[in-house]
Amino acid sequence: TRLYGTLNYINKMIAPSPYPQPFAAPMGVGMPQAHKPVRHNPDPMQPKEATLPRYVNYLADYSGCGHWRILWPEAVINARGDGMSQSTTAMVTDPRWYTGVNCVKVQRQASSHQKEFIKHLKKVQQEHGFKIIYEVDDVVFREVIPDYNKFKFAFDTEEVRQNCIDIINLVDEVTVTCDFMRKLYQEKTGQDKITVIPNFVPNTWMGQLFNPRNIQRAFEANKRKPRILYTGSGAHYDVDNKAGGKDDMSEVRDFIRKTVDKYQWIFVGAFPLQLQDLVQQKRIEFYPWQPLLKYPYFIAGLDAQLMVAPLQVNDFNRAKSDIKFIEACILGIPCLCQDMETYHTAPSNLRFNTVEEFEDKIDKILNYKKKNKYFQNIHKLREIGQQRILELDHNIGAHLEALNTPYGSSERSFLKEWN
């Protein structure tokens, strides 16, 4: 027993720690200019983590944006063993923290002190060779953000606008959600190194909720008054009357009022103030915004036959992601979208331009006499959604290629689909 204890103590003293050390440099001090992880011959006594590239992310939020763009991809990268990724909102200035780091990603940084931090990162980069990415999933330029957007105030100064431009021109690459956004940012900032990485849906978050039998049963159960769902935050509504009531729902509001007895309209998150009387009378269903983890289950449980995604046609909305359409596809529910660049992924029968077309296509989609076509489309929609599952090799691979390779690298195969 004494001998065993002695050997165990010696083993602990000479064996490497199984935990990755933040100041260790398992890949050598500094990175090559190609920003690719260095793969040394593995030491059998080293933990696997010591051979993996390390990524550091600075978040602007822990809400939906932070999860879609950074936290969910980070979780998949860590779970797959493709790297060691960690996120924080606290800016770390100690250069030793960046030893062995392959890439630093900053999300939607816009303030003056954040710009100074990026300048500091550029100095640290000279020692450690990591790549710096600016990640943004929305438009930050005050002249493009519509007045009805209740969150415009956060970016509505020339100082913030210039900070964003300066930061974008300090980094090595910018990642955005769609091609229109890429071109808009190139035009506004002069930065050419901008890459599209679409929003991908985690299968573990929403993908497992697809149930075609439930969709069919709900269609039958609600054939006399089909249920139509809209989900969206207050940013879509002119709540402060800064745009004279013109917002993302203004074109279809009167139609909703007119058809409140024909369809069961459902709003989640917020609703147009012009329809408040119908909400109070409970002729329109309204539910407050749901926590991110509960959101998919809540939406699936509303038994909607159709989701809708109207938008005002402007450059801010053209630069949006097609999340609403893809989420609906994942669940197997049709989503009728505004016919604009944002929803170019939607088939033509699920896009509309005018309120007359909106009305006509709703009638066609929900026509009970054509229920067999509706049922067939459930699986077609699901197939579209499945192509955007985050855990698929080619989708998480797009994130990894941006992290591990320089802009324009010939080794980027997954990103070619989107760029």
Side-chain angles (χ1 to χ4, degrees), residues 3 12 60 75 113 117-118 134 146 167 189 215 278 284 354 388 408:
L3 176 61
K12 286 183 178 179
H113 77 272
F117 177 64
I118 305 303
Y134 185 87
I167 292 172
T189 67
I215 296 172
L278 297 174
I284 287 178
T354 65
R388 295 280 287 276

Side-chain angles (χ1 to χ4, degrees), residues 122 132 134 164-175 181-195 407:
K122 291 298 290 185
I132 303 176
Y134 185 87
C164 292
I165 292 174
D166 292 343
I167 292 172
I168 284 170
N169 280 287
L170 282 169
V171 302
D172 301 302
E173 186 171 358
V174 179
T175 53
M181 192 176 184
R182 177 179 66 85
K183 293 174 181 175
L184 180 67
Y185 268 73
Q186 287 174 332
E187 175 191 336
K188 295 288 185 180
T189 67
Q191 169 66 277
D192 289 327
K193 296 179 179 179
I194 301 180
T195 299
Y407 178 84

